[in-house]
Amino acid sequence: MKLLNKLVGVALLAASTASMADPIGVDAGWYGFCFGGAGSPATNGCQNSGIGSAGNPFTFSLSGPGLLKVTDAFDIGDTFDVFVNSVLAFTTSAPGAGASTSNPDVAFASGYYSAGSLLLAAGNYSIDIFANQSPFGSGGAYVEIESAIPLPGTLALVGLGLAGLGLRRRAA
C-alpha cells in the first residue's frame, strides 16, 4: 500500500510539473518574460510589448525547421543561458551600448542588446531560460519561435543552380 501511495504521489507531481509548462505559439510573435538576479529563471508575468507572457519551461512543437530567438530589452546589460530540452544550447551575446528600447524586434536587431538564436529541427521542445548576468537585479526580456521557411527567392536560386548543373552535365 505504501508503494502504491508513493507511485500515486510521483504521478501527481509529474502531472503538476507538466501542467506548469507555458506553451508558446510558433509564428505568434514575441512573448515577454520576467527574471530576477543572475541565475534566476524566466517567469511568467511580463507581457512587455509582446503578444503574451510565459515562463520556464516554454514548450512548443515544430512540424518543420524553426528559429528560437531570445533578446534582452529595456535596460542594456542582461545576458541569458538558454537550455533546449535540458541541455545548454547557447548564451546570448555580450551587451553593447546604445539607446534603450522595449520593442523586441529593435532590440534583437540592434547589436547592443544581448540576443541569440538557434535553428531547430522539427520536434517537440522545452526551453528554459536563466539570467546569466543581471546588473539591475531584475528585468524583462523576450522569446520568439519562427518557422524557418525558405524564402521564394532562395528556392528560385536553388532551382537555377540545379538547372545549371543539369545543363552542364548534359553538355559534358
Side-chain angles (χ1 to χ4, degrees):
M1 188 64 166
K2 286 183 180 182
L3 179 60
L4 180 60
N5 287 341
K6 286 182 180 181
L7 289 174
V8 169
V10 169
L12 288 173
L13 180 61
S16 67
T17 301
S19 67
M20 293 174 147
D22 282 331
I24 58 176
V26 176
D27 294 325
W30 292 97
Y31 287 82
F33 64 87
C34 304
F35 58 92
S40 69
T43 58
N44 198 334
C46 293
Q47 182 169 336
N48 308 330
S49 296
I51 58 124
S53 66
N56 286 353
F58 303 90
T59 60
F60 58 94
S61 295
L62 290 169
S63 57
L67 187 64
L68 165 65
K69 296 168 43 177
V70 176
T71 188
D72 186 23
F74 308 99
D75 294 324
I76 298 170
D78 306 300
T79 63
F80 304 97
D81 290 329
V82 181
F83 292 79
V84 176
N85 296 337
S86 301
V87 176
L88 178 62
F90 64 93
T91 299
T92 57
S93 62
S100 65
T101 184
S102 63
N103 181 311
D105 289 315
V106 172
F108 186 80
S110 72
Y112 49 85
Y113 277 96
S114 176
S117 61
L118 179 67
L119 186 61
L120 301 170
N124 297 318
Y125 291 94
S126 179
I127 307 299
D128 290 293
I129 301 172
F130 293 89
N132 178 295
Q133 294 178 11
S134 181
F136 306 103
S138 66
Y142 297 97
V143 61
E144 179 180 46
I145 309 300
E146 295 178 340
S147 294
I149 300 170
L151 300 172
T154 304
L155 292 175
L157 286 174
V158 169
L160 284 172
L162 290 173
L165 287 174
L167 289 173
R168 183 175 177 191
R169 181 179 170 139
R170 193 175 218 198

